[in-house]
Amino acid sequence: MNKNRMNWSRNVLAVGVASAVLSGCAALTPSSSDDALSLSFVGRYSTGVFGESAAEITAYDAATQRAFVVNAQAGNLTVLDLSNPANPTLIDTLTVSQVAPNAVVNSVAAQDGWVAVAVESSPKTAAGYMALFDAATLTLQGYVRVGAQPDMVTFTPDGQYVLTANEGEPSDDYQVDPEGSISIVDISNPQNMTVRTAGFVAFNARRDELRAAGVRIFGPRATVAQDLEPEYITVSTDSRTAWVALQENNALAKVDIARGVVTDVLPLGFKDHGQAGNGLDVSDDDNGINIQVWPGVMGTYHPDAITSYQHNGRQYVVTANEGDARAWGEDNDAYWGPEEASDSAYGGNLSQGFVEEIRVKHLVHNSGFARRLGDDMPPHLMSLANGALLNPEVFGYCGATAGDAGGCREDDQLGRLNVTWTQGYRTDERGFPVLFNADGEQDPFGDRLMYDQLFAYGTRSVAIWSADGELVWDSGDMIEQYLASDECRLGEARNQPCAEFFNSNHDEGDAFESRSDNKGPEPEAVAVAELNDRMYAFLGLERMGGVMVFDITNPQAPAIVDYLNTRNLWAEDPEANLATVGDLGIEDIKVIPVNQSPTGETLLLTGHEVSGTVSVYRVNLTQ
């Protein structure tokens, strides 16, 4: 092994141990509730913009009955009159040009007449801002500098603080990599706001410990503080503790708000798709719905949106386990290198990017990695070895033998599944790859990696965790099983079978099963509400669309109680039918409780990045 390979291997996470998963895969209707809950469509506002993220994150101010919606395409906020939820209308547009040149809005939250906005600077690697607006007058009250790339903003329940999750992604060419952080802004005096930033520098010396525990820290040139990327925040009901999703790191950060420090980084572990109840449909090319267990395939939780609630005096965190691959420089030709000649033995320039995603059939092809040089073969992978194998003792069930992945590579088996190459291959006690020859024999002079496990993105589930990051419950394969069932129906009128459009994509028509190879229905957004003494979670499915409702009153035994998908056209081209297609690509859910609702009913406010729509649903409860 050459020196560059050895140095790089120290920065690659090799985790092969799955955490225990408590899977709830049986109940599809609640057995302990006297209430019947259902969702119904109320109204919609459309930007008329398809596929440009013109309606993403939403917020609602009760005093003015206004909705505030992030328009990422324009980099601003859309302000809607929601006094008549059946007909949301445009009031105004808020920009952040007075905060910083070329700045854009990333997120919004509203509470007690204030609108907090996460403002990303240009370039994104520079420090961003949190800006505070008056919800009634729409005037800027003030702004403060926070960390790089504030990606999410939220109020503490007591209204004293605004928190921002500063993701700190690297530049597109991977030349600048700011540290991730969480900023805590005291807004008790809006004209003189103060900010403290909780960072991760104190964890830099704990890199090996965190990686051994399962935190995915693998940026090839990053410190721990640079590698950790805060994505989403939820705050305890007493406003003392925040949990922050570190999506790409597959972990949660725990923050003491009063002290302004990160107290812990909690690894979320992995989901064993070889266990009963944890099956998944892995192929978009197997001519049908085939939800089954796949021994050796692990799911990485990678939560996007998170929320929290109390039950019997204990705090729980709920996660929408979307999955997300790191892809820095994926459009940078300098990273990939030319197809036939290159300036390095690895194809491209390792300093110009980092891409971890690859299909199984390209990872374990008998001809090795060079066949896809300059195409989609990550140079960092080529710096490790010249090819890879599947352990036949694990993957023999799908045809793997010594030196040959066999039928496992086929499109109707594991071949199409997108996985990360950074995990699952065998390593020695130093973390270096154990090499094999092309015949599948361990050989110090070999040039093949041996994958004992394959790690896919997301877990196609919703999960509940303790305050200390212990898994309490995971929905297993409930979501895909429900979408494949006869009970499931699509459209505002619920008149189309879900199974006919199982795992469809959100931006194309007639897309049956097109996302099975890549995160499935893709849980994206989640919100919770207590209604009639029961706790419900509202889960948005980004690709398949719609909101799935779980009764989570008992954190150990949740159940699906309803699913409403307001996409009305499924076989037609959605862009050509934007006026009638409905909602595509749900990005955010906010609950409007009865005491704040313009109609006196519990409502949901949803943002949809593909259809560019903002919709309102009614939560119907009957005794």
Side-chain angles (χ1 to χ4, degrees):
M1 183 184 299
N2 64 43
K3 182 178 179 180
N4 285 337
R5 285 186 184 171
M6 292 177 66
N7 288 340
W8 164 238
S9 67
R10 294 188 179 97
N11 294 302
V12 176
L13 179 65
V15 177
V17 179
S19 63
V21 173
L22 303 179
S23 174
C25 59
L28 294 181
T29 56
S31 58
S32 58
S33 174
D34 295 326
D35 301 317
L37 180 148
S38 65
L39 301 179
S40 56
F41 175 76
V42 176
R44 176 183 296 119
Y45 170 82
S46 178
T47 64
V49 178
F50 177 85
E52 298 290 342
S53 298
E56 287 194 338
I57 309 302
T58 65
Y60 174 75
D61 175 63
T64 59
Q65 297 184 349
R66 289 175 172 177
F68 299 84
V69 184
V70 173
N71 182 334
Q73 179 219 20
N76 58 28
L77 273 182
T78 300
V79 185
L80 302 177
D81 181 351
L82 215 65
S83 59
N84 177 11
N87 185 32
T89 56
L90 179 65
I91 294 176
D92 205 346
T93 297
L94 281 180
T95 70
V96 290
S97 57
Q98 65 271 55
V99 175
N102 302 312
V104 296
V105 175
N106 273 352
S107 182
V108 63
Q111 186 170 304
D112 300 331
W114 300 113
V115 180
V117 180
V119 181
E120 180 181 302
S121 295
S122 177
K124 69 176 183 178
T125 53
Y129 299 85
M130 192 287 290
L132 196 66
F133 289 84
D134 185 293
T137 64
L138 302 182
T139 56
L140 178 65
Q141 301 299 295
Y143 56 91
V144 292
R145 189 182 294 265
V146 295
Q149 198 184 12
D151 196 47
M152 190 268 183
V153 63
T154 190
F155 288 86
T156 55
D158 63 10
Q160 182 177 353
Y161 299 105
V162 170
L163 276 59
T164 64
N166 310 313
E167 189 166 9
E169 287 183 336
S171 58
D172 293 340
D173 61 1
Y174 199 27
Q175 299 304 294
V176 180
D177 188 2
E179 295 178 352
S181 62
I182 302 96
S183 291
I184 302 165
V185 184
D186 189 332
I187 63 167
S188 54
N189 181 357
Q191 278 69 50
N192 186 27
M193 296 182 290
T194 58
V195 59
R196 291 169 297 150
T197 295
F200 297 95
V201 171
F203 292 87
N204 281 345
R206 297 173 56 185
R207 181 188 186 92
D208 292 342
E209 172 193 344
L210 291 171
R211 288 177 60 184
V215 181
R216 299 186 76 231
I217 300 172
F218 57 96
R221 296 185 292 121
T223 65
V224 171
Q226 290 172 314
D227 201 82
L228 298 180
E229 296 181 358
E231 184 87 17
Y232 211 95
I233 306 171
T234 185
V235 181
S236 61
T237 53
D238 63 8
S239 298
R240 297 175 62 181
T241 304
W243 292 267
V244 184
L246 307 174
Q247 184 173 23
E248 291 86 352
N249 310 105
N250 197 41
L252 299 176
K254 196 172 182 179
V255 179
D256 184 317
I257 295 173
R259 293 168 54 205
V261 297
V262 178
T263 59
D264 209 350
V265 175
L266 308 171
L268 297 180
F270 305 94
K271 179 172 175 174
D272 187 350
H273 288 300
Q275 290 185 358
N278 285 347
L280 70 167
D281 188 316
V282 300
S283 176
D284 60 346
D285 194 23
D286 58 359
N287 299 314
I289 301 173
N290 295 294
I291 303 169
Q292 64 185 72
V293 296
W294 293 92
V297 177
M298 311 300 293
T300 308
Y301 282 94
H302 278 162
D304 189 340
I306 63 175
T307 188
S308 55
Y309 72 108
Q310 275 194 340
H311 175 73
N312 290 339
R314 295 185 177 182
Q315 195 84 31
Y316 295 92
V317 177
V318 185
T319 60
N321 305 313
E322 177 195 25
D324 196 19
R326 279 190 163 159
W328 308 324
E330 60 182 336
D331 297 321
N332 183 2
D333 290 341
Y335 174 65
W336 297 106
E339 293 184 11
E340 296 182 359
S342 67
D343 59 2
S344 81
Y346 316 132
N349 188 332
L350 300 185
S351 70
Q352 291 288 316
F354 179 89
V355 175
E356 64 163 321
E357 188 174 49
I358 192 169
R359 289 196 191 274
V360 172
K361 67 178 182 179
H362 301 326
L363 178 65
V364 295
H365 195 282
N366 286 349
S367 298
F369 299 150
R371 59 186 288 272
R372 302 191 73 84
L373 179 66
D375 184 0
D376 59 0
M377 183 54 60
H380 285 102
L381 175 55
M382 289 196 66
S383 74
L384 282 177
N386 294 325
L389 305 167
L390 290 180
N391 184 347
E393 295 183 8
V394 178
F395 294 98
Y397 69 92
C398 59
T401 61
D404 191 345
C408 300
R409 287 192 61 256
E410 296 301 317
D411 286 352
D412 61 353
Q413 296 291 312
L414 291 171
R416 298 279 298 167
L417 183 65
N418 282 289
V419 298
T420 176
W421 58 263
T422 66
Q423 292 173 256
Y425 60 83
R426 197 173 307 174
T427 61
D428 61 21
E429 65 278 359
R430 301 169 299 170
F432 298 159
V434 174
L435 295 177
F436 291 72
N437 60 34
D439 294 325
E441 299 168 335
Q442 188 171 327
D443 182 348
F445 301 102
D447 64 352
R448 295 289 194 269
L449 304 174
M450 177 62 73
Y451 280 85
D452 300 314
Q453 294 175 311
L454 297 170
F455 286 79
Y457 298 101
T459 55
R460 310 187 186 193
S461 67
V462 59
I464 300 176
W465 311 82
S466 74
D468 294 319
E470 297 295 325
L471 183 62
V472 175
W473 176 84
D474 179 87
S475 63
D477 58 13
M478 286 176 69
I479 295 174
E480 281 192 314
Q481 294 284 8
Y482 184 80
L483 295 175
S485 72
D486 292 337
E487 181 182 353
C488 185
R489 290 291 184 270
L490 300 170
E492 294 170 24
R494 302 179 188 248
N495 57 0
Q496 302 178 75
C498 298
E500 292 184 3
F501 301 96
F502 176 81
N503 278 355
S504 285
N505 204 3
H506 53 25
D507 60 359
E508 55 186 338
D510 198 18
F512 172 75
E513 216 184 16
S514 67
R515 293 296 296 181
S516 286
D517 60 322
N518 191 9
K519 299 184 281 189
E522 206 162 321
E524 166 84 8
V526 66
V528 296
E530 185 175 4
L531 305 169
N532 287 4
D533 298 322
R534 303 199 67 79
M535 189 64 68
Y536 295 94
F538 303 91
L539 181 72
L541 305 180
E542 181 177 6
R543 299 292 176 160
M544 187 68 183
V547 177
M548 187 169 284
V549 188
F550 290 79
D551 184 332
I552 59 170
T553 308
N554 179 353
Q556 285 81 26
I560 297 173
V561 297
D562 196 32
Y563 174 61
L564 177 63
N565 191 320
T566 51
R567 176 177 179 173
N568 295 312
L569 303 179
W570 288 82
E572 298 85 351
D573 175 14
E575 184 173 11
N577 296 275
L578 188 56
T580 54
V581 68
D583 299 312
L584 309 169
I586 189 167
E587 182 73 15
D588 186 55
I589 301 173
K590 292 294 187 300
V591 177
I592 303 176
V594 168
N595 62 351
Q596 297 182 21
S597 169
T599 64
E601 305 163 300
T602 302
L603 303 175
L604 300 182
L605 183 65
T606 59
H608 304 265
E609 62 178 350
V610 174
S611 55
T613 54
V614 181
S615 288
V616 181
Y617 306 150
R618 181 185 300 110
V619 180
N620 307 298
L621 278 172
T622 57
Q623 293 289 341

